[in-house]
Amino acid sequence: MRKIITLCLLFVATASFSQTKEELQALKKSKQDSINALQAKVDDLQKQIDKYPGWHYGAFGTIGANLSEFNNWYAQGSPNNSAGNITITANPYAKLNRETFFWYNNANINLSWVKFDDKDDPTDNKDFRQATDVFTLTSLYGYKFNEKLAASALGEYRTTLLNNFNDPGYLDLGIGITWTPISDLVIVAHPLNYNFVFSNDDTIFESSLGAKIVANYGKSFGKLKLKSNLSMFQSYESSDLSNWTWTNAFSYEVWKGIGLGFEFGLRDNKQEAVNYFVNTLGETDTTFDNVDNKLQTYWTFGLSYAF
């Protein structure tokens, strides 16, 4: 009889616990639905604020680091070594939007360092070395004909920061039209643009007149943010002097502006290819006609930040 009573009590306790757990789960779902509804309202208000005329500032990027050290780890070819890589990307912006004009400013910075120190090799480099070095600064001013079309002037500067600053450096100055078909997309078409090239080697790098095309897209989908920028210069003098760069950055917020970020970039620049083969590899017989101008690429993955 006692066993029967004990089993009944256990059954009742279990049923009560299950019922309590289900009630808590239902209550949690109700609260989460309320939070989601409030967050949607907050996001909608932020969109309205962003469209309001005036200055808007912000930035997002990626930070990645990997450090390691091995001592007497005989299973590998270099049992005593110290290695690591550090990557920092940043995409800051400052935008002014008025009823009759706008002024958009943004930058793209991507820096990384790597090292592999074989402690058993006294000639090995123990320091971090520059691996990625990208710096772009863009400023676009436009006088509005209407909400979608404006006469515009663009200044864009591209170079490296850690190594060979301004050698080469590229400065585009031009005028034309800017079209904003939707609030998240800006397309610049400047048929009158001069591409100034700064370099110690004037036999390879050359400035020229041409057309400038820029497309910039930025959008947030909840916690996912993305930015894509295409910058293209088409020289009127020779296709050898033309170049383009396309960068894309994605970030997913996990907690209070911190999350995961991924960025990749593509570039084509024949002048840089010739310069690399001639001045870095020492292949002095390389010309614009026979250079192996491969597509330039990079990608970065790590922790992301936004504010």
Side-chain angles (χ1 to χ4, degrees), residues 118-132:
D118 185 347
K119 298 179 181 179
D120 297 322
D121 183 358
T123 65
D124 202 13
N125 191 341
K126 300 180 180 180
D127 301 324
F128 277 91
R129 296 179 292 112
Q130 169 262 323
T132 306

Side-chain angles (χ1 to χ4, degrees), residues 78-230:
S78 301
N80 301 290
N81 72 75
S82 176
N85 66 74
I86 301 172
T87 299
I88 301 173
T89 73
N91 297 274
Y93 64 86
K95 298 181 178 181
L96 175 64
N97 192 16
R98 299 295 189 188
E99 292 184 3
T100 58
F101 71 93
F102 61 79
W103 185 20
Y104 300 152
N105 304 276
N106 60 76
N108 172 252
I109 304 168
N110 187 330
L111 308 174
S112 70
W113 301 262
V114 297
K115 83 165 183 175
F116 182 84
D117 175 24
D118 185 347
K119 298 179 181 179
D120 297 322
D121 183 358
T123 65
D124 202 13
N125 191 341
K126 300 180 180 180
D127 301 324
F128 277 91
R129 296 179 292 112
Q130 169 262 323
T132 306
D133 195 354
V134 178
F135 176 76
T136 304
L137 182 64
T138 304
S139 184
L140 175 67
Y141 177 87
Y143 181 82
K144 297 180 181 179
F145 298 133
N146 52 51
E147 286 299 317
K148 296 185 180 297
L149 203 61
S152 56
L154 172 73
E156 182 184 82
Y157 178 66
R158 306 184 308 281
T159 187
T160 55
L161 294 177
L162 303 178
N163 188 26
N164 299 327
F165 176 74
N166 204 42
D167 184 22
Y170 305 89
L171 175 63
D172 281 293
L173 296 176
I175 56 175
I177 297 295
T178 293
W179 180 41
T180 310
I182 57 176
S183 60
D184 304 310
L185 176 62
V186 178
I187 299 175
V188 179
H190 285 178
L192 187 59
N193 182 94
Y194 200 82
N195 178 237
F196 295 91
V197 183
F198 309 101
S199 174
N200 292 329
D201 193 338
D202 295 333
T203 61
I204 296 176
F205 292 97
E206 183 179 346
S207 303
S208 64
L209 181 69
K212 184 74 173 181
I213 303 294
V214 176
N216 191 75
Y217 180 76
K219 183 72 174 178
S220 296
F221 302 92
K223 295 183 178 181
L224 177 66
K225 292 184 175 66
L226 67 89
K227 178 186 176 183
S228 181
N229 177 268
L230 173 65

Side-chain angles (χ1 to χ4, degrees), residues 167 199-201 203-205 271 273-284 286:
D167 184 22
S199 174
N200 292 329
D201 193 338
T203 61
I204 296 176
F205 292 97
Q271 294 180 92
V274 174
N275 180 65
Y276 174 75
F277 279 94
V278 172
N279 292 320
T280 302
L281 299 183
E283 300 181 9
T284 56
T286 302

